[in-house]
């Protein structure tokens, strides 16, 4: 029996609920609290969420949004460990930048991209739960920050349509920003808006009297008992699948790495992951899901699912 104050997890909310315009205030509050900048979402953009392979169906979810200034936010939730996750962040950010231009477009049309990664695994070494980074052009000898002068602004001779864009005064206004939220590292008492959001990300807790941007709206929008029976059923199956996958993939990767020591690390990892997929399919089938439902959830063909089930 679910408690009346239980809220759905953020990864499910961002996958199924927060893309709706009526729920944008939750995402706006989330972005504002973690970046320190008030944000108004203009649109949710097309995203490649969960399209890479079957495992991504569970362990990764992302949403891409544009604010009123044309800046693009990439919010990504990663549930299980990915070895080259930092490279993945760079790739996703670079892709979001290049997708803004068509052949022949001028570079002034590029808007800043802000990447926000919510990770539920141990990423790197560090004692903090929130990390931020951005490229700055710093003088090697004098240590000053390179900026664009007013004289250079006038000399740019931008076309009329460029006037709709905010003139760049500093490279940081166009270079991407990166936020990494390490959920498992948060162990503090939730007394600030940032800490309240961390408490929700980690434990699903929202204070009844919260005034924190995004969470005050989430308190009404994301309450478990307000969901339809179909939504509750789908959510419970998602949570069961996530728990199964975390356990299976953890064992599979461990077995794969050990096997890899003898047969080659890459081959061992691939075999371990495939064993994890096979086991996940069988467990979902034994829980009552049809081959069609499994194929849709894991983004596999029914033929492949049936071959695994046997």
């Amino acid at each position: 029996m679910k408690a009346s104050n239980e809220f759905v997890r953020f990864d499910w909310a961002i996958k199924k609920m927060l893309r709706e315009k009526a729920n944008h205030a939750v995402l706006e509050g989330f972005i504002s609290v973690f970046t320190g900048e008030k944000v108004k979402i203009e649109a949710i953009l097309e995203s490649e969420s969960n399209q890479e392979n079957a495992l991504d169906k569970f362990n990764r979810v992302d949403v891409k949004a544009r604010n009123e200034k044309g800046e693009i936010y990439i919010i990504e939730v990663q549930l299980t460990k990915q070895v080259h996750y930092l490279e993945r962040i760079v790739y996703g950010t670079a892709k979001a930048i290049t997708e803004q231009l068509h052949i022949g477009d001028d570079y002034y049309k590029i808007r800043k991209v802000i990447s926000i990664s919510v990770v539920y695994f141990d990423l790197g070494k560090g004692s903090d739960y929130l990390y931020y980074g951005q490229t700055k052009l710093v003088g090697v000898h004098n240590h000053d920050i390179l900026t664009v002068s007013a004289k250079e602004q006038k000399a740019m001779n931008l076309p009329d349509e460029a006037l709709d864009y905010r003139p760049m005064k500093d490279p940081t206004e166009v270079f991407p920003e990166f936020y990494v939220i390490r959920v498992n590292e948060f162990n503090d008492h939730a007394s600030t808006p940032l800490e309240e959001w961390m408490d929700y990300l980690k434990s699903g807790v929202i204070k009844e009297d919260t005034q924190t941007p995004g969470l005050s709206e989430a308190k009404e929008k994301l309450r478990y008992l307000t969901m339809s029976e179909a939504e509750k059923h789908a959510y419970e199956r998602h949570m069961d699948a996530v728990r199964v996958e975390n356990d299976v993939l953890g064992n599979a990767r461990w077995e794969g790495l050990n096997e890899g020591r003898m047969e080659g690390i890459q081959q061992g990892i691939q075999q371990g992951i495939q064993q994890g997929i096979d086991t996940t399919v069988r467990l979902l089938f034994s829980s009552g899901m049809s081959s069609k439902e499994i194929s849709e959830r894991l983004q596999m063909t029914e033929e492949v699912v049936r071959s695994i089930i046997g």
Side-chain angles (χ1 to χ4, degrees):
M1 181 69 180
K2 297 286 181 181
S4 62
N5 64 342
E6 183 167 340
F7 304 92
V8 298
R9 277 175 39 133
F10 186 67
D11 60 292
W12 174 263
I14 203 172
K15 180 195 295 280
K16 297 291 185 180
M17 305 166 75
L18 300 185
R19 299 167 190 262
E20 301 174 6
K21 190 170 184 178
N23 297 333
H24 282 184
V26 179
L27 276 179
E28 290 167 354
F30 169 82
I31 295 171
S32 296
V33 166
F34 280 94
T35 66
E37 182 177 353
K38 189 172 181 179
V39 172
K40 181 69 176 177
I41 292 177
E42 180 184 277
I44 299 295
L45 306 175
E46 183 178 352
S47 173
E48 292 189 358
S49 175
N50 304 328
Q51 294 181 5
E52 292 192 356
N53 56 55
L55 298 179
D56 278 340
K57 186 68 178 179
F58 291 120
N59 65 20
R60 182 177 68 86
V61 59
D62 68 332
V63 64
K64 186 162 62 172
R66 182 177 61 232
N67 65 16
E68 292 178 319
K69 295 186 291 186
E71 297 170 331
I72 295 174
Y73 288 86
I74 301 174
I75 304 171
E76 180 167 297
V77 181
Q78 180 77 21
L79 299 178
T80 58
K81 188 173 183 63
Q82 184 171 359
V83 176
H84 301 293
Y85 190 70
L86 293 179
E87 289 87 344
R88 171 181 177 73
I89 293 175
V90 173
Y91 172 80
T93 304
K95 197 168 187 295
I97 293 172
T98 58
E99 285 177 342
Q100 297 180 52
L101 295 183
H102 300 291
I103 296 177
D105 282 350
D106 290 324
Y107 293 121
Y108 72 82
K109 292 185 177 181
I110 291 179
R111 298 294 89 197
K112 180 195 286 188
V113 173
I114 300 96
S115 169
I116 304 176
S117 297
V118 182
V119 297
Y120 284 83
F121 64 93
D122 296 331
L123 176 65
K125 293 183 179 180
S127 59
D128 210 326
Y129 58 81
L130 177 62
Y131 286 84
Y132 167 80
Q134 184 183 35
T135 299
K136 294 183 179 180
L137 301 179
V138 182
V140 174
H141 301 98
N142 298 328
H143 307 294
D144 59 327
I145 305 296
L146 180 67
T147 60
V148 179
S149 68
K151 182 178 180 180
E152 289 173 317
Q153 287 284 343
K154 293 179 180 179
M156 287 181 182
N157 295 319
L158 295 176
D160 292 340
E161 59 264 30
L163 297 178
D164 293 333
Y165 295 91
R166 183 178 59 177
M168 186 187 75
K169 298 180 180 179
D170 190 287
T172 59
E173 294 184 32
V174 69
F175 287 168
E177 298 181 36
F178 299 92
Y179 294 84
V180 175
I181 303 167
R182 302 164 77 226
V183 177
N184 294 340
E185 295 301 317
F186 177 74
N187 295 302
D188 297 332
H189 175 70
S191 57
T192 68
L194 179 60
E195 291 168 345
E196 283 194 41
W197 259 104
M198 290 301 304
D199 206 17
Y200 167 59
L201 292 176
K202 185 172 185 178
S203 307
V205 174
I206 301 178
K207 295 180 179 179
E208 282 298 322
D209 61 347
T210 185
Q211 298 298 314
T212 294
L215 288 183
S216 55
E217 292 81 7
K219 186 180 65 175
E220 305 302 326
K221 303 285 188 179
L222 307 184
R223 197 181 296 273
Y224 175 83
L225 289 186
T226 64
M227 299 167 67
S228 68
E229 288 303 317
E231 290 171 331
K232 290 178 184 177
H233 182 60
Y235 177 62
E236 290 299 333
R237 287 198 305 180
H238 166 76
M239 292 304 300
D240 287 341
V242 167
R243 283 189 285 268
V244 167
E245 190 198 9
N246 283 336
D247 183 53
V248 169
L249 287 183
N251 290 331
R253 287 193 176 98
W254 182 84
E255 292 171 1
L257 285 171
N258 277 278
E259 185 176 349
R261 291 189 180 96
M262 294 180 292
E263 300 181 7
I265 291 177
Q266 188 61 38
Q267 181 182 357
I269 291 174
Q270 292 302 320
Q271 290 177 347
I273 290 176
Q274 185 59 53
Q275 290 171 6
I277 294 174
D278 293 350
T279 304
T280 300
V281 169
R282 295 189 182 101
L283 286 171
L284 293 177
F285 182 71
S286 66
S287 72
M289 292 182 65
S290 67
S291 59
K292 182 179 180 181
E293 289 176 317
I294 295 173
S295 68
E296 292 174 350
R297 182 172 287 275
L298 295 181
Q299 293 188 343
M300 303 167 66
T301 65
E302 278 194 72
E303 184 180 44
V304 172
V305 172
R306 293 194 190 99
S307 69
I308 296 173
I309 294 173

